[in-house]
Amino acid sequence: MYFSDIGIIALILATGFALYTVVIAVLGAVRNKAQLVASAKLSTLTVAFFLLLAAAALVVSFLTHDFGVRYVAQHSSREMPWYFTVASFYGGQEGSLLYWAVMLAIFSALFVFTSRRAPKTLVPYTLATLMGIELFFLIVLATASNPFVRVPVAPDDGNGLNPLLMDPGMLIHPPLLLMGFMSFSVPYALAIAAMVTGVLNNEWLRSIRRWALASWTIQTAGLLLGAWWAYHVLGWGGYWSWDPVENAALLPWLTTTAFLHSAMVQERRGMLKVWNLFLVIASFALAIFGTYEVRSGVISSVHSFAYSDIGSYFFTFLVIVVAFSSGLFLYRLPRLQAEQEFDSVVSREGVFLFNNLLLIGITFATLWGTIFPLVTALLRGQTMSVGAPFYNQVVGPLIGVLVLAMGVGPLLGWRRTSLAALWRNLCVPAIVTAVCAAILPIAGVTNVVANIGFSICAFTATAILYELWRGARVRHAHGEPYVLAVYMLFQRYRQRYGGYLVHLGMVMLVVGIIGSAFFQVKHDAVLKAGQDTSIGGYQITFMGNIDMQESDRETVTAQLRLWSNGQSQGYIYPGRIIYRNYGNQPASIIPILSSGLTDLYIVFADYQGATEATLQLFINPLVPLVWYGGLLMLLGGLICWWPERRRVARVAREAAPKAAQPEAKGVVA
């Protein structure tokens, strides 16, 4: 028996238990039988076990070079290092779908272990929904996209991994992004359970928010790593090209960001219930849309798989999800009435709603640009697409206003804010912004749009730091040193101050985007041995090409000597790797030299023998801030998500009569 046979058996058994879970969980809920619900939980864990077994069987097939498995032969070879061989597990369509299913099973198992924190009535329907989604993936894996299919005659060696995937980023970016897409399933399942049972109060909201925050954090990491990978592998000098698949990964992140903000309004004021439910459903639907887009190949992208009939499966599933969710949503609409109304536009909830509208505007613009080729092909019979200028002109201003609103929101109170309080809170950020706007032209920032963008970022960063300083000052007045005071703010109000870190990281990221978008310098040079060129204070001397031949590849590197301010900085080696098994497809070796907040980025574009090279040189200002800002956003997300320790005093306060409790402070995510 081959390991692939074990994998097939495991998939069949997982399918049977998933179907059993759907049926028995619904029966347990309808008949109010705790034993049936307990059986559904155990069956969910069994599905996770068999899917992990299937995944292990595929990994072992890769490691043992079982090229009788078609998927193994297509995506690995004997020359590959073991870690890339393992990563080949999710390097193609079939394996990535299995990975999706495995992670969904793991998250479903985690929900089982933490289900005591969710409302009891929601648990069986949540399990049924999760296993319903799982059942779809298992059916696809068993029929249209089985990774364990064997070929009649096994080749001696495989094709190897796609050259663009032979990078350390392969070990972490795809699994994180696929996990991010999958993770939106749990909030969606909770939303379906809430609509089925009618439990649409704040208890449901608290159950779903932590899962949504986990999804947001995972997807943030996936997007950040994807941008980093594109920057140091694809060789075009940038990190985000508004590629359709990049956009598809961004869409559910945007709607979940909107939900995390509007959820606070519902919890605090009992408002935006309809909006929150819509955002949760939309996030999952957009995640499935993104998966469909990659699998179907209907939209051209460097990330897409080849055209496949599997796209019809996902399109059908997407239609079912939208139709079923919309039906439940309309059925429960009368029970989603707001408990209060907006008292004033100049309030924290007013800014949160405005933020949501901006995020949805960005989502719609990005979605429209992504599906525009499909729309034009359908209506006009020819495919037309939009490029980066469309997104920059439409999305760019919306992001600028969004960053500005991020700075204003924390300075406003709930319900309403008086003009005197508004001016008192905005005074310091406004002064800093005015000074920044005046200094930037003197410093050489003559571009008006860039000046406005930097000034907005200065306002928001100042507002966040000012709010942090005010909180620390209050604690310092009671005897705490400032360092301890800041630590205690994050310790005791994690969601609020973790959210401030997310906002501050977003500001840094936007500053990096503005710097690299408006002030990038590009220079093309064709050099012969001994010739030099210069860019941004650097002098580069071409010493010749180095050609290395291996059994499955050819590596050509240009030897460059780098000078800065008249001093030698050593040698750098941009290059190209040509993989023979992939039709001599090249992959770039891109040296990136960071000096302060500026990158020197060199691409080896072409060569003629050993004595001539075509180079593309870039000076990318402020790009490191994109990575630093992204890491700060991740840190803030983790702080928000991290569970607070239970304290006896808190339990006592919750048990005390409500009238005796002090008014709770606002929380910002």
Side-chain angles (χ1 to χ4, degrees):
M1 176 180 285
Y2 297 103
F3 284 102
S4 58
D5 296 330
I6 296 175
I8 292 175
I9 295 171
L11 286 180
I12 294 172
L13 291 172
T15 303
F17 278 101
L19 180 60
Y20 171 80
T21 304
V22 173
V23 174
I24 208 69
V26 174
L27 284 176
V30 171
R31 298 181 179 179
N32 196 23
K33 296 287 187 180
Q35 297 91 337
L36 296 181
V37 176
S39 179
K41 291 181 179 180
L42 184 60
S43 181
T44 301
L45 299 179
T46 306
V47 171
F49 168 77
F50 282 120
L51 277 169
L52 285 170
L53 180 61
L58 186 57
V59 170
V60 172
S61 297
F62 272 106
L63 291 175
T64 57
H65 303 301
D66 183 3
F67 298 121
V69 178
R70 184 176 63 192
Y71 183 73
V72 174
Q74 289 174 341
H75 298 283
S76 69
S77 65
R78 297 185 186 278
E79 289 82 7
M80 288 170 51
W82 69 268
Y83 43 87
F84 282 135
T85 301
V86 172
S88 299
F89 170 85
Y90 45 76
Q93 180 168 269
E94 294 89 342
S96 63
L97 288 176
L98 177 57
Y99 177 83
W100 217 105
V102 169
M103 294 312 302
L104 177 58
I106 292 174
F107 269 57
S108 301
L110 290 174
F111 176 78
V112 169
F113 291 130
T114 60
S115 58
R116 65 183 182 277
R117 300 176 184 173
K120 185 177 179 181
T121 53
L122 299 185
V123 172
Y125 289 108
T126 301
L127 292 176
T129 305
L130 288 171
M131 288 299 102
I133 299 169
E134 188 74 85
L135 195 58
F136 163 75
F137 278 90
L138 287 168
I139 291 172
V140 172
L141 285 167
T143 56
S145 191
N146 193 325
F148 298 106
V149 172
R150 301 191 67 85
V151 295
V153 179
D156 293 331
D157 201 357
N159 294 332
L161 197 60
N162 187 308
L164 293 178
L165 303 181
M166 296 284 285
D167 182 86
M170 178 63 180
L171 306 179
I172 186 169
H173 164 59
L176 270 177
L177 201 59
L178 287 169
M179 191 191 306
F181 274 127
M182 174 281 309
S183 65
F184 295 107
S185 303
V186 182
Y188 171 76
L190 283 164
I192 292 296
M195 288 189 291
V196 170
T197 60
V199 180
L200 295 164
N201 52 22
N202 284 352
E203 192 175 6
W204 160 78
L205 192 68
R206 284 189 290 270
S207 299
I208 202 172
R209 190 172 60 184
R210 285 181 57 78
W211 286 103
L213 187 55
S215 300
W216 180 92
T217 304
I218 295 169
Q219 194 73 351
T220 300
L223 288 167
L224 181 65
L225 283 166
W228 170 79
W229 192 353
Y231 187 59
H232 84 274
V233 168
L234 296 184
W236 55 278
Y239 44 83
W240 188 269
S241 62
W242 294 106
D243 179 87
V245 174
E246 293 175 348
N247 296 348
L250 180 65
L251 293 172
W253 183 89
L254 290 169
T255 51
T256 303
T257 303
F259 168 76
L260 291 172
H261 286 81
S262 58
M264 291 184 290
V265 179
Q266 179 178 339
E267 189 170 8
R268 176 82 182 197
R269 302 287 314 278
M271 302 158 63
L272 303 181
K273 293 181 179 180
V274 174
W275 185 248
N276 285 328
L277 202 55
F278 164 77
L279 289 174
V280 174
I281 296 171
S283 296
F284 179 70
L286 288 171
I288 296 299
F289 167 77
T291 309
Y292 158 71
E293 182 184 325
V294 178
R295 311 297 157 191
S296 64
V298 295
I299 298 179
S300 178
S301 167
V302 297
H303 302 82
S304 296
F305 297 103
Y307 182 82
S308 170
D309 291 338
I310 197 176
S312 60
Y313 285 79
F314 276 92
F315 181 77
T316 303
F317 183 60
L318 178 61
V319 171
I320 293 172
V321 166
V322 172
F324 179 68
S325 305
S326 299
L328 278 177
F329 182 80
L330 293 174
Y331 174 69
R332 290 300 184 188
L333 198 57
R335 301 191 60 174
L336 294 171
Q337 300 300 318
E339 298 173 12
Q340 302 182 52
E341 295 183 356
F342 280 98
D343 296 313
S344 172
V345 175
V346 186
S347 61
R348 187 169 295 183
E349 55 266 42
V351 172
F352 280 178
L353 179 59
F354 183 57
N355 276 354
N356 270 230
L357 295 176
L358 290 170
L359 287 165
I360 295 304
I362 295 170
T363 303
F364 178 78
T366 306
L367 178 62
W368 175 250
T370 302
I371 66 174
F372 188 72
L374 297 179
V375 176
T376 55
L378 180 65
L379 298 180
R380 304 182 60 177
Q382 58 182 358
T383 300
M384 300 175 63
S385 60
V386 298
F390 165 80
Y391 296 103
N392 294 337
Q393 293 172 14
V394 176
V395 176
L398 293 176
I399 292 177
V401 179
L402 179 66
V403 172
L404 180 63
M406 283 166 41
V408 174
L411 303 177
L412 302 180
W414 293 98
R415 296 181 179 273
R416 62 174 59 86
T417 303
S418 66
L419 292 178
L422 179 63
W423 170 247
R424 184 171 61 251
N425 292 337
L426 293 179
C427 182
V428 172
I431 291 174
V432 171
T433 303
V435 172
C436 178
I439 290 177
L440 284 173
I442 300 174
V445 182
T446 57
N447 186 289
V448 176
V449 177
N451 194 323
I452 293 173
F454 284 137
S455 299
I456 289 174
C457 290
F459 172 85
T460 300
T462 304
I464 295 169
L465 294 174
Y466 180 56
E467 186 70 7
L468 180 61
W469 176 76
R470 291 203 303 179
R473 185 182 61 178
V474 170
R475 299 190 69 90
H476 177 71
H478 290 80
E480 290 182 357
Y482 274 109
V483 174
L484 178 60
V486 171
Y487 171 79
M488 291 305 299
L489 287 175
F490 282 94
Q491 178 70 19
R492 299 195 61 181
Y493 308 103
R494 292 180 181 176
Q495 291 184 0
R496 181 175 187 176
Y497 288 94
Y500 287 163
L501 278 188
V502 172
H503 290 174
L504 195 59
M506 182 68 180
V507 170
M508 292 175 63
L509 186 146
V510 171
V511 169
I513 293 173
I514 295 172
S516 56
F518 286 95
F519 304 105
Q520 182 187 68
V521 178
K522 181 182 178 182
H523 173 59
D524 295 335
V526 180
L527 302 177
K528 295 185 181 299
Q531 291 183 335
D532 58 22
T533 187
S534 60
I535 184 174
Y538 292 98
Q539 183 178 353
I540 296 110
T541 303
F542 173 56
M543 310 299 292
N545 294 324
I546 303 171
D547 193 339
M548 296 179 59
Q549 301 283 344
E550 299 178 61
S551 60
D552 63 333
R553 73 191 71 176
E554 177 186 8
T555 304
V556 183
T557 56
Q559 184 178 18
L560 305 177
R561 190 168 186 181
L562 185 66
W563 304 79
S564 178
N565 297 323
Q567 295 184 348
S568 175
Q569 303 296 315
Y571 291 89
I572 52 177
Y573 299 89
R576 305 178 82 189
I577 306 176
I578 297 93
Y579 291 86
R580 297 188 179 89
N581 288 348
Y582 273 82
N584 292 327
Q585 180 177 336
S588 297
I589 303 172
I590 303 169
I592 302 174
L593 182 65
S594 296
S595 177
L597 296 177
T598 300
D599 285 350
L600 171 64
Y601 184 104
I602 302 178
V603 180
F604 186 36
D606 201 0
Y607 64 97
Q608 293 293 331
T611 59
E612 184 176 312
T614 300
L615 304 176
Q616 292 179 336
L617 303 101
F618 298 85
I619 295 293
N620 292 331
L622 303 182
V623 167
L625 287 180
V626 173
W627 320 128
Y628 299 151
L631 290 174
L632 194 59
M633 291 174 68
L634 284 176
L635 176 61
L638 288 172
I639 291 174
C640 290
W641 177 85
W642 200 262
E644 296 184 18
R645 291 179 297 180
R646 298 182 181 276
R647 295 182 176 87
V648 176
R650 182 181 302 170
V651 175
R653 285 197 303 270
E654 292 174 353
K658 189 172 183 179
Q661 297 181 24
E663 183 179 355
K665 297 290 184 182
V667 176
V668 176

